Amino acid sequence: MTAGPDRPLVVLVHGAWHRPSTWDAARSALAALGYETRVVALPSAGRDPAPTASMYDDAAVIRKELDQVDGPAVVVAHSYAGIPTSEGLTGATNVAHLIYLAAYLLDDGESMYSRHGMDVPADTTGLFPLMGSPGEALYHDVPRDVAARAVEDLVDQSLLSFTGTVTRAAWHDIPSTYVVCDDDRTIPPALQETMAAHATATRRWPGGHSPFLADPQRFAALVDDIIRSR
């Protein structure tokens, strides 16, 4: 697959407990702006994910997807996906830009647990529990009918995936933009700000954790503006 410099391929990577279908509305909005998109299905999330599916497995799948792309690509990583995206795309010469959307943007040697000052549990098998009231945490500003469907589509997430430590973060070598969601009720905006300090540039979204569902057209316009401003 070949992309052009004016309209690079946009690769979308979903967060924990989600599936590729979470991007459907955003893909349609990006297509209306002339962008071809691809989505990555992370093995750590699913109706019955392998309990041994790790962040490194997710990173390998992301890298495999990008290895099939000729020409420039822009990768949008949401929430948890920021970790395997940073891990998997180090040295990827066809990635022109990384967009971290309310995402974990970690440095070398960091994990989600260390970022939160938590100890990794002794037993890392099984599933990481979904937060209480996911509709409020993830979709509080999403249209009610869309949010209800999104909650129904949430899947299980392996616990092991949250414990992986970044070995070499791709953002050291690939330009990046961090989108801080100012009314996020999942990853506190103050925490997002500290991670955004690693990025080349920072943008702001005046809403919650899932802009691609809250307002797909406006989200697509933001991605387009970031791409054009590189």
Side-chain angles (χ1 to χ4, degrees):
M1 182 176 295
T2 302
D6 295 333
R7 288 288 191 279
L9 179 73
V10 177
V11 178
L12 303 162
V13 191
H14 64 79
W17 302 292
H18 287 74
R19 296 188 291 174
S21 58
T22 195
W23 294 112
D24 286 353
R27 295 185 76 185
S28 295
L30 285 164
L33 297 178
Y35 288 97
E36 185 174 358
T37 59
R38 296 182 74 164
V39 295
V40 180
L42 300 182
S44 66
R47 295 296 183 193
D48 187 21
T52 57
S54 68
M55 182 272 284
Y56 304 107
D57 294 319
D58 290 339
V61 168
I62 295 167
R63 183 56 177 261
K64 183 177 179 180
E65 192 74 36
L66 269 297
D67 283 346
Q68 300 175 41
V69 176
D70 296 321
V74 170
V75 180
V76 181
H78 179 235
S79 200
Y80 158 77
I83 305 174
T85 295
S86 292
E87 175 71 18
L89 296 184
T90 299
T93 58
N94 60 341
V95 178
H97 204 82
L98 302 170
I99 299 176
Y100 291 88
L101 176 63
Y104 283 94
L105 199 173
L106 305 184
D107 205 349
D108 305 350
E110 283 191 299
S111 69
M112 184 184 295
Y113 273 84
S114 68
R115 168 56 70 167
H116 286 283
M118 300 165 56
D119 293 327
V120 174
D123 183 0
T124 58
T125 60
L127 304 175
F128 195 95
L130 184 63
M131 75 283 286
S133 303
E136 174 64 20
L138 298 168
Y139 314 123
H140 77 275
D141 59 344
V142 173
R144 191 168 296 180
D145 59 331
V146 177
R149 288 195 300 271
V151 170
E152 290 179 356
D153 286 341
L154 292 173
V155 293
D156 291 326
Q157 182 74 29
S158 75
L159 169 60
L160 184 62
S161 64
F162 282 3
T163 67
T165 298
V166 174
T167 59
R168 174 64 181 172
W171 55 262
H172 284 291
D173 304 307
I174 302 173
S176 60
T177 297
Y178 195 102
V179 179
V180 176
C181 292
D182 288 328
D183 193 24
D184 198 319
R185 300 182 185 179
T186 299
I187 301 179
L191 176 58
Q192 293 183 43
E193 295 278 6
T194 65
M195 296 187 288
H198 292 314
T200 310
T202 301
R203 297 293 189 96
R204 312 199 74 87
W205 177 271
H209 191 64
S210 304
F212 46 88
L213 292 175
D215 193 336
Q217 287 73 31
R218 189 177 176 190
F219 169 73
L222 174 62
V223 172
D224 179 54
D225 189 56
I226 290 171
I227 290 172
R228 292 175 180 275
S229 301
R230 289 178 294 138

